[in-house]
Coordinates of all heavy atoms in Angstrom, one line a residue:
S166 N -17.7 -15.7 -1.5 CA -16.2 -15.5 -1.6 C -15.9 -14.1 -1.1 O -14.9 -13.9 -0.4 CB -15.6 -15.9 -2.9 OG -15.9 -14.9 -3.8
L167 N -16.8 -13.1 -1.4 CA -16.5 -11.7 -1.0 C -16.6 -11.7 0.6 O -15.8 -11.0 1.2 CB -17.4 -10.7 -1.6 CG -17.1 -10.3 -3.0 CD1 -18.2 -9.4 -3.6 CD2 -15.8 -9.5 -3.0
A168 N -17.6 -12.3 1.1 CA -17.8 -12.3 2.6 C -16.5 -12.8 3.3 O -16.0 -12.3 4.3 CB -19.0 -13.1 3.0
E169 N -15.9 -13.9 2.7 CA -14.7 -14.4 3.2 C -13.5 -13.4 3.1 O -12.8 -13.1 4.1 CB -14.3 -15.7 2.4 CG -13.4 -16.6 3.2 CD -13.2 -17.9 2.4 OE1 -14.1 -18.3 1.8 OE2 -12.1 -18.4 2.4
R170 N -13.4 -12.8 1.9 CA -12.4 -11.8 1.7 C -12.5 -10.6 2.7 O -11.5 -10.0 3.1 CB -12.5 -11.3 0.3 CG -11.5 -10.2 -0.1 CD -11.2 -10.2 -1.5 NE -9.8 -9.9 -1.6 CZ -9.1 -10.0 -2.7 NH1 -9.6 -10.6 -3.8 NH2 -7.8 -9.7 -2.7
L171 N -13.8 -10.3 3.0 CA -14.0 -9.1 3.9 C -13.9 -9.4 5.3 O -14.2 -8.6 6.2 CB -15.4 -8.5 3.6 CG -15.7 -8.1 2.1 CD1 -17.2 -7.9 1.9 CD2 -14.9 -6.8 1.8
N172 N -13.6 -10.7 5.6 CA -13.6 -11.2 7.0 C -15.0 -11.0 7.7 O -15.1 -10.6 8.8 CB -12.5 -10.5 7.8 CG -12.2 -11.2 9.1 OD1 -12.6 -12.4 9.3 ND2 -11.6 -10.5 10.1
L173 N -16.0 -11.4 6.9 CA -17.4 -11.2 7.4 C -18.1 -12.6 7.4 O -19.4 -12.6 7.5 CB -18.2 -10.2 6.5 CG -17.7 -8.8 6.6 CD1 -18.5 -7.9 5.6 CD2 -17.9 -8.2 8.0
T174 N -17.4 -13.7 7.2 CA -18.0 -15.0 7.1 C -18.8 -15.3 8.4 O -20.0 -15.8 8.3 CB -17.0 -16.1 6.9 OG1 -16.3 -15.7 5.7 CG2 -17.6 -17.4 6.7
L175 N -18.3 -14.9 9.5 CA -19.0 -15.3 10.8 C -20.3 -14.5 10.9 O -21.2 -15.0 11.7 CB -18.1 -15.0 12.0 CG -16.9 -15.9 12.2 CD1 -16.1 -15.5 13.4 CD2 -17.5 -17.4 12.4
V176 N -20.4 -13.4 10.3 CA -21.7 -12.6 10.4 C -22.5 -12.6 9.1 O -23.3 -11.8 8.9 CB -21.4 -11.2 10.8 CG1 -20.8 -11.1 12.3 CG2 -20.4 -10.5 9.9
R177 N -22.2 -13.6 8.2 CA -22.8 -13.5 6.9 C -24.3 -13.6 6.9 O -25.0 -13.2 5.9 CB -22.2 -14.6 6.0 CG -22.5 -16.0 6.4 CD -21.6 -17.0 5.6 NE -21.8 -18.4 5.8 CZ -21.3 -19.0 6.9 NH1 -20.7 -18.4 7.9 NH2 -21.6 -20.3 7.0
F178 N -24.9 -14.2 7.9 CA -26.4 -14.4 8.0 C -27.0 -13.3 8.8 O -28.2 -13.3 9.1 CB -26.8 -15.8 8.5 CG -26.3 -16.9 7.6 CD1 -25.5 -17.9 8.1 CD2 -26.6 -16.9 6.3 CE1 -25.0 -18.9 7.3 CE2 -26.1 -17.9 5.4 CZ -25.3 -18.9 6.0
R179 N -26.2 -12.3 9.3 CA -26.8 -11.2 10.1 C -27.2 -10.0 9.2 O -26.6 -9.7 8.2 CB -25.8 -10.8 11.1 CG -25.7 -11.8 12.3 CD -24.9 -11.4 13.4 NE -25.2 -10.0 13.9 CZ -24.4 -9.4 14.7 NH1 -23.2 -9.9 15.1 NH2 -24.7 -8.2 15.2
P180 N -28.3 -9.4 9.6 CA -28.7 -8.2 8.8 C -27.6 -7.1 8.9 O -27.0 -6.9 9.9 CB -30.0 -7.7 9.6 CG -30.5 -8.8 10.4 CD -29.3 -9.6 10.7
A181 N -27.4 -6.4 7.7 CA -26.3 -5.4 7.6 C -26.5 -4.4 8.7 O -25.5 -3.9 9.3 CB -26.3 -4.8 6.3
G182 N -27.7 -4.0 9.0 CA -28.0 -3.0 10.0 C -27.5 -3.3 11.4 O -27.4 -2.4 12.3
E183 N -27.3 -4.6 11.7 CA -26.9 -5.0 13.0 C -25.4 -5.2 13.1 O -24.9 -5.5 14.2 CB -27.5 -6.4 13.4 CG -29.0 -6.3 13.6 CD -29.6 -7.6 14.0 OE1 -28.9 -8.6 14.3 OE2 -30.9 -7.7 13.9
L184 N -24.6 -4.9 12.0 CA -23.2 -5.1 12.1 C -22.6 -3.9 12.8 O -23.2 -2.8 12.9 CB -22.6 -5.1 10.7 CG -23.1 -6.2 9.7 CD1 -22.4 -6.1 8.4 CD2 -22.9 -7.6 10.4
S185 N -21.3 -4.1 13.3 CA -20.6 -2.9 13.9 C -20.3 -1.9 12.7 O -20.3 -2.3 11.6 CB -19.3 -3.4 14.5 OG -18.4 -3.8 13.5
H186 N -19.8 -0.8 13.1 CA -19.5 0.3 12.2 C -18.4 -0.2 11.2 O -18.5 -0.1 10.0 CB -19.0 1.5 12.9 CG -18.6 2.6 12.0 ND1 -19.4 3.3 11.1 CD2 -17.3 3.2 11.8 CE1 -18.7 4.2 10.4 NE2 -17.4 4.1 10.8
G187 N -17.4 -0.9 11.8 CA -16.2 -1.3 11.0 C -16.7 -2.4 10.0 O -16.2 -2.4 8.9
Q188 N -17.6 -3.3 10.5 CA -18.0 -4.4 9.6 C -18.9 -3.8 8.5 O -18.8 -4.2 7.3 CB -18.9 -5.4 10.4 CG -18.1 -6.2 11.3 CD -18.9 -7.0 12.3 OE1 -20.0 -6.6 12.7 NE2 -18.4 -8.2 12.8
Q189 N -19.7 -2.8 8.8 CA -20.5 -2.1 7.7 C -19.6 -1.5 6.7 O -19.9 -1.5 5.5 CB -21.4 -1.1 8.3 CG -22.6 -1.7 9.1 CD -23.6 -0.7 9.6 OE1 -23.4 0.5 9.4 NE2 -24.7 -1.2 10.1
R190 N -18.5 -0.8 7.2 CA -17.6 -0.2 6.2 C -16.9 -1.2 5.3 O -16.7 -1.0 4.1 CB -16.6 0.7 6.9 CG -17.1 1.9 7.7 CD -18.0 2.8 7.0 NE -17.4 3.4 5.8 CZ -16.8 4.6 5.7 NH1 -16.6 5.3 6.8 NH2 -16.3 5.0 4.6
R191 N -16.6 -2.4 5.9 CA -16.0 -3.4 5.0 C -17.0 -3.9 4.0 O -16.7 -4.2 2.9 CB -15.4 -4.6 5.9 CG -14.3 -4.2 6.8 CD -13.3 -5.3 7.0 NE -13.9 -6.4 7.8 CZ -14.2 -6.4 9.1 NH1 -13.9 -5.3 9.8 NH2 -14.7 -7.4 9.7
L192 N -18.3 -4.1 4.5 CA -19.3 -4.5 3.6 C -19.5 -3.5 2.4 O -19.7 -3.9 1.3 CB -20.6 -4.8 4.4 CG -21.8 -5.3 3.6 CD1 -21.5 -6.6 2.8 CD2 -23.0 -5.5 4.5
E193 N -19.4 -2.3 2.8 CA -19.4 -1.2 1.7 C -18.4 -1.4 0.6 O -18.7 -1.3 -0.5 CB -19.2 0.2 2.3 CG -20.4 0.7 3.0 CD -21.5 0.9 2.1 OE1 -21.3 1.4 0.9 OE2 -22.7 0.6 2.4

Side-chain angles (χ1 to χ4, degrees):
S166 76
L167 279 176
E169 197 174 327
R170 173 153 219 167
L171 301 165
N172 195 16
L173 293 176
T174 300
L175 287 178
V176 293
R177 65 192 183 283
F178 298 122
R179 285 188 48 196
E183 290 181 12
L184 301 182
S185 71
H186 177 66
Q188 290 168 331
Q189 288 188 352
R190 298 303 306 263
R191 293 210 297 284
L192 182 53
E193 281 297 317

